[in-house]
Amino acid sequence: MNKHKRYNVGILIGGVHTYFPKEHISGIATAAKELNINVCFFLGTQTKDFFEDMLGGTHKDSFDYQFNTIHDYSLMGGLDGLIINYGTLGLQLKNETAEKFARKFNSIPTVFLTEIVHAHNCHSLICDNRQGIQLVMEHLIQEHNCQKILFVAGPAQNTDANERKKTYLEMMAKYHLPVKPKMIAQGDYSEFVDKQIEKLLDDNPDAQAIVFANDEMAFSGYRVCEKRGLKVGKDILITGFDDCERASGMEPPLTTIQQDGVLMGRMAIYDLVDKLDGKNVQSRRVPVSLCVRESCGCQEQLPEIHNTPVNLTEQIHKLNRTITHMKLELISFQRKSWFIPSLARSLNDCMEDEHAFLLEVMKNMRELRTKCTYLFLLDEPIIYHQNDEWVCPHDLRLAAYYRNEEADAFHLYDRQPVTDQNGICQLMSDHERHQFMIFLLFSGEKQYGLLACDIQQEEFPFFYVISLQIGLSLHYLEISKAEARRRQEMSRNLELVRERNRVLGFISKYDELTGLLNLRGFTEQIKKLCSSETNQRAYIICGDLDHLKEINDTWGHPAGNFALQSVARILGGCLRSQDTLARVGGDEFLILLNCEEENFQDIFRKRVKDACTAFNTESDKPFLVEISLGIAEFQPKPDTNTQEIIALADKDLYEAKKHRRKSVRRPEA
């Protein structure tokens, strides 16, 4: 049982859709469990060649380059150490040396896989590429007397690939066999190098053998040879490198170099933990062996072939286990794939509410039975073009999580930032061991953040697709938010138009909201009364809806409009048909009437108060509609200064408003 603390280790690895990186992941995961440490896989992949093979022609809309940025996010992870599979991290690194790349990460102990580096705090694990190619070449030359041997190289920036190519050239020179440039094709370690092999065979119709720098490119060689009617193992000999799961199941079985990717992954974890424990760890090479099968022209029944590292029965068992495992993975993926349209639909239903959207993501993670999941978002999406200089953003925040059967999401102002001191690992810290697969969330040229899922290795393909769907949905959410902002701007513009129309409405005779006269209409009526010289006592009454602002702020403008319309009805009900009622401002009303009744002012105030009480008794609104009144008496004459009369009524209103309620909210509301 280990005595060290539970370390948090990051693994930077690309090409995870291919065999050997998957072997590394398997070995790392197994060793991490044995040593009781947390691991965070920062995953990259390349799909361009796959889509080109499936769709035909050039897949122009590939954004695989986005995956080449995910390793920089590990710098804000708060990790104790790193394992870097340098050779798989993508084409972005083609102009960056391993030493320079190592210096960016060597602030913490680091193990480099498939690459040799000489940097502080770093050491390397790499297979014995030279020995492997020597074994292959000697077998083809000595056992099969091959003279014209072609070579399909791996990525130019990959050390494994370069060592294998260099050894091929050295072995051809050792046996005095000529090599022309057209005898070497440049591959990329993927299974989709058909075009390169087609040209290679066109240029070398007399070729006897092809040495491939890895097995997956050799599978492409099988496919091309079959199309040309060439029988592998007879018309042309083929060898690979890796001994991946499909090698022994090819027809004919592939002769290859066997290197143990699982072992290398385990060694990387144990070496890194030793470094973290303060032990001295040296760089080393992992031994390889030649696995002879029929693709090189050997016949399995020949007794003289003894250098196969595993016997036929073990190979068959291994292949059967692989086939069964792949079938189970396919069945599981097919069943889960029905979940993806459901996820897209449920997220689409939340486009009006970002908080609900994030919570829905976490609820779906719970349904998928992840151990726990964390969603980290950038404050604003960033646009990264392939030819731009990459600068890792520093505004990553925890936006949502699912753990211990609890799902929650945060609004932007509540999101916890991810920093070097408070990194991804610290946000995930608890008493349990975790294995996080971390996916980049992007759509096209825009990056949105990271998705970290505590899942098993075999679940990666499905959750990779899930991460692509979430990235796409985040893009739609961004569009929805932009549309909402545009709608708000349009609403503000419409409100401005309405305000201008309200100003223009004073030119007309009637108030649009209440149907009453407006200021102009009221002015015409008071002029008409004063010019008639009736010699009757008249009154101008200023009415004011109490606390209109409170109603608007608390219950909204529709409620305020309802209150104003109610005031118009209440006052109208207290007047005679020949009296004049107008709305002359937001909450201001004016009344003009003539009356000889004694104590009219007290009587009218009580009448309006009683009418308000009756209205509020019947109303189901959470607020009261009440009216303050100011009354001024005058004798109508042609020379009457009506503005002075209105000012007197307004002064009386001001005194009345001192006695209004402090709030019109109903006590029970």
Side-chain angles (χ1 to χ4, degrees):
M1 183 175 179
N2 62 304
K3 298 181 181 179
H4 57 70
K5 74 165 190 174
R6 180 180 288 152
Y7 294 122
N8 295 314
V9 172
I11 296 91
L12 314 187
I13 187 166
V16 292
H17 60 298
T18 58
Y19 168 75
F20 210 57
K22 288 193 290 187
E23 292 286 280
H24 286 158
I25 291 174
S26 178
I28 289 169
T30 300
K33 185 176 181 180
E34 294 170 354
L35 292 172
N36 191 31
I37 65 175
N38 294 326
V39 287
C40 297
F41 291 93
F42 292 82
L43 300 168
T45 189
Q46 285 76 40
T47 59
K48 181 176 183 291
D49 293 321
F50 170 77
F51 282 118
E52 286 188 8
D53 180 73
M54 294 294 293
L55 302 176
T58 302
H59 185 60
K60 297 180 179 178
D61 297 326
S62 173
F63 293 95
D64 286 347
Y65 69 87
Q66 293 280 18
F67 290 111
N68 297 324
T69 68
I70 192 170
H71 45 77
D72 277 3
Y73 285 96
S74 69
L75 294 172
M76 61 180 74
L79 299 167
D80 297 308
L82 278 175
I83 295 173
I84 300 177
N85 194 322
Y86 180 82
T88 66
L89 290 182
L91 297 178
Q92 185 214 356
L93 306 179
K94 63 185 177 182
N95 295 322
E96 186 172 30
T97 66
E99 307 295 329
K100 181 179 178 182
F101 188 78
R103 287 195 295 272
K104 185 162 58 174
F105 294 94
N106 69 347
S107 59
I108 55 177
T110 303
V111 175
F112 268 72
L113 294 182
T114 67
E115 182 57 58
I116 300 172
V117 294
H118 303 285
H120 171 71
N121 237 2
C122 299
H123 87 279
S124 304
L125 275 176
I126 190 168
C127 81
D128 197 337
N129 296 295
R130 180 178 177 81
Q131 180 192 28
I133 296 299
Q134 284 177 346
L135 290 172
V136 163
M137 295 293 291
E138 287 175 348
H139 182 75
L140 290 174
I141 296 170
Q142 294 177 3
E143 299 292 333
H144 298 285
N145 196 32
C146 291
Q147 304 292 308
K148 186 70 174 287
I149 303 174
L150 311 181
F151 188 77
V152 180
Q157 71 275 19
N158 182 276
T159 295
D160 280 336
N162 290 333
E163 289 188 349
R164 293 169 195 179
K165 179 180 176 181
K166 180 180 179 181
T167 305
Y168 158 77
L169 293 171
E170 290 174 351
M171 293 301 293
M172 292 290 282
K174 176 181 177 181
Y175 287 94
H176 307 290
L177 300 176
V179 177
K180 297 179 180 179
K182 67 179 183 179
M183 293 172 59
I184 300 174
Q186 183 63 59
D188 60 5
Y189 274 168
S190 80
E191 189 181 339
F192 310 108
V193 290
D194 297 41
K195 293 178 182 178
Q196 294 93 313
I197 299 171
E198 291 277 6
K199 187 175 189 312
L200 191 65
L201 291 175
D202 287 342
D203 292 341
N204 301 276
D206 57 341
Q208 296 171 289
I210 308 176
V211 174
F212 287 86
N214 77 337
D215 288 351
E216 299 216 12
M217 293 192 297
F219 300 152
S220 182
Y222 271 67
R223 188 164 54 242
V224 171
C225 288
E226 183 180 2
K227 290 179 182 178
R228 289 177 171 247
L230 298 175
K231 189 169 180 60
V232 175
K234 292 186 177 180
D235 300 325
I236 192 163
L237 311 184
I238 285 181
T239 66
F241 201 115
D242 288 340
D243 193 25
C244 76
E245 55 205 2
R246 293 166 53 194
S248 61
M250 298 298 292
E251 181 56 44
L254 177 65
T255 294
T256 186
I257 294 300
Q258 186 181 65
Q259 63 167 325
D260 194 334
V262 174
L263 174 62
M264 184 177 286
R266 286 173 52 82
M267 290 169 63
I269 283 287
Y270 276 90
D271 281 2
L272 182 58
V273 169
D274 282 346
K275 287 174 70 73
L276 293 172
D277 286 342
K279 299 177 182 178
N280 184 29
V281 181
Q282 300 296 321
S283 296
R284 49 182 169 163
R285 287 186 178 268
V286 182
V288 298
S289 58
L290 177 63
C291 184
V292 176
R293 300 191 181 104
E294 296 174 36
S295 71
C296 67
C298 289
Q299 297 300 312
E300 186 180 348
Q301 64 269 23
L302 292 179
E304 61 268 26
I305 304 300
H306 297 300
N307 56 345
T308 300
V310 290
N311 63 39
L312 179 60
T313 301
E314 291 174 342
Q315 290 183 33
I316 293 173
H317 286 322
K318 176 184 176 183
L319 181 60
N320 285 337
R321 286 195 302 269
T322 299
I323 292 172
T324 301
H325 183 68
M326 292 175 69
K327 285 182 177 179
L328 291 174
E329 278 190 354
L330 178 60
I331 292 170
S332 176
F333 187 90
Q334 288 175 332
R335 289 174 178 172
K336 287 182 176 180
S337 66
W338 290 100
F339 184 86
I340 297 172
S342 173
L343 170 65
R345 185 171 57 252
S346 64
L347 295 182
N348 188 59
D349 291 339
C350 301
M351 290 299 166
E352 300 297 323
D353 185 342
E354 182 178 23
H355 183 267
F357 175 94
L358 297 174
L359 197 58
E360 189 65 28
V361 173
M362 292 302 105
K363 289 178 179 177
N364 277 275
M365 293 300 106
R366 179 171 58 197
E367 291 182 25
L368 289 171
R369 301 185 184 279
T370 63
K371 185 176 179 181
C372 57
T373 299
Y374 295 84
L375 177 63
F376 303 93
L377 292 181
L378 300 168
D379 289 348
E380 292 291 339
I382 62 169
I383 296 176
Y384 173 47
H385 299 290
Q386 185 169 7
N387 296 322
D388 291 349
E389 181 180 356
W390 165 249
V391 178
C392 188
H394 295 284
D395 57 346
L396 191 68
R397 299 176 187 271
L398 177 62
Y401 69 86
Y402 159 65
R403 64 181 175 225
N404 300 325
E405 299 301 318
E406 176 189 2
D408 201 2
F410 307 102
H411 295 286
L412 178 60
Y413 47 80
D414 286 330
R415 293 175 190 170
Q416 184 175 351
V418 177
T419 64
D420 294 341
Q421 293 74 32
N422 190 24
I424 293 173
C425 291
Q426 281 70 27
L427 292 172
M428 300 172 185
S429 61
D430 53 30
H431 297 296
E432 298 186 29
R433 194 189 74 84
H434 294 289
Q435 174 179 288
F436 285 98
M437 300 284 182
I438 301 179
F439 303 90
L440 183 70
L441 297 176
F442 70 95
S443 179
E445 296 172 334
K446 287 192 175 181
Q447 290 188 15
Y448 296 92
L450 302 177
L451 180 71
C453 302
D454 191 338
I455 55 176
Q456 298 303 309
Q457 176 189 356
E458 58 270 17
E459 297 179 280
F460 159 74
F462 175 70
F463 278 88
Y464 164 68
V465 177
I466 288 290
S467 72
L468 293 179
Q469 177 60 60
I470 293 175
L472 182 61
S473 295
L474 283 167
H475 178 61
Y476 291 149
L477 177 66
E478 182 190 8
I479 293 174
S480 179
K481 289 163 65 176
E483 289 179 347
R485 287 193 294 268
R486 284 194 291 268
R487 287 195 298 269
Q488 290 175 353
E489 183 64 29
M490 289 177 64
S491 178
R492 285 193 293 267
N493 291 339
L494 286 173
E495 184 61 31
L496 179 60
V497 170
R498 292 191 187 100
E499 180 64 28
R500 290 173 178 172
N501 285 338
R502 283 193 287 270
V503 173
L504 293 173
F506 283 112
I507 301 173
S508 65
K509 192 173 182 180
Y510 290 96
D511 172 59
E512 182 180 0
L513 178 64
T514 62
L516 300 177
L517 291 172
N518 62 16
L519 181 59
R520 179 178 178 180
F522 182 84
T523 302
E524 290 178 355
Q525 289 298 315
I526 197 171
K527 287 181 178 179
K528 185 177 179 180
L529 177 64
C530 290
S531 62
S532 64
E533 296 185 350
T534 58
N535 294 319
Q536 288 185 314
R537 204 164 30 180
Y539 297 89
I540 289 180
I541 304 172
C542 289
D544 195 325
L545 169 63
D546 288 347
H547 297 296
L548 174 60
K549 185 177 186 304
E550 180 188 2
I551 295 173
N552 282 334
D553 291 348
T554 306
W555 296 283
H557 285 281
N561 290 342
F562 169 83
L564 291 169
Q565 291 168 333
S566 300
V567 169
R569 289 193 292 271
I570 291 170
L571 291 177
C574 296
L575 299 173
R576 302 165 300 185
S577 59
Q578 67 268 31
D579 299 333
T580 299
L581 173 61
R583 179 184 173 221
V584 297
D587 57 356
E588 298 173 10
F589 295 79
L590 286 178
I591 299 170
L592 174 66
L593 56 82
N594 50 23
C595 179
E596 296 294 336
E597 186 177 2
E598 294 294 328
N599 300 321
F600 166 77
Q601 296 191 24
D602 294 337
I603 294 170
F604 188 80
R605 290 181 192 276
K606 185 176 185 306
R607 187 184 303 166
V608 172
K609 183 177 182 180
D610 290 344
C612 289
T613 300
F615 172 86
N616 289 322
T617 301
E618 298 295 328
S619 173
D620 60 351
K621 301 297 182 183
F623 54 85
L624 301 173
V625 174
E626 294 186 333
I627 306 167
S628 297
L629 297 175
I631 305 175
E633 179 184 331
F634 73 103
Q635 186 74 33
K637 293 180 181 179
D639 59 350
T640 299
N641 187 336
T642 55
Q643 291 302 316
E644 289 184 358
I645 308 303
I646 293 173
L648 290 172
D650 191 64
K651 183 178 179 181
D652 189 50
L653 172 65
Y654 180 80
E655 292 299 320
K657 286 172 70 173
K658 292 180 179 179
H659 304 289
R660 65 179 179 173
R661 297 174 185 267
K662 292 183 178 180
S663 171
V664 290
R665 181 188 293 272
R666 286 183 182 272
E668 62 272 25

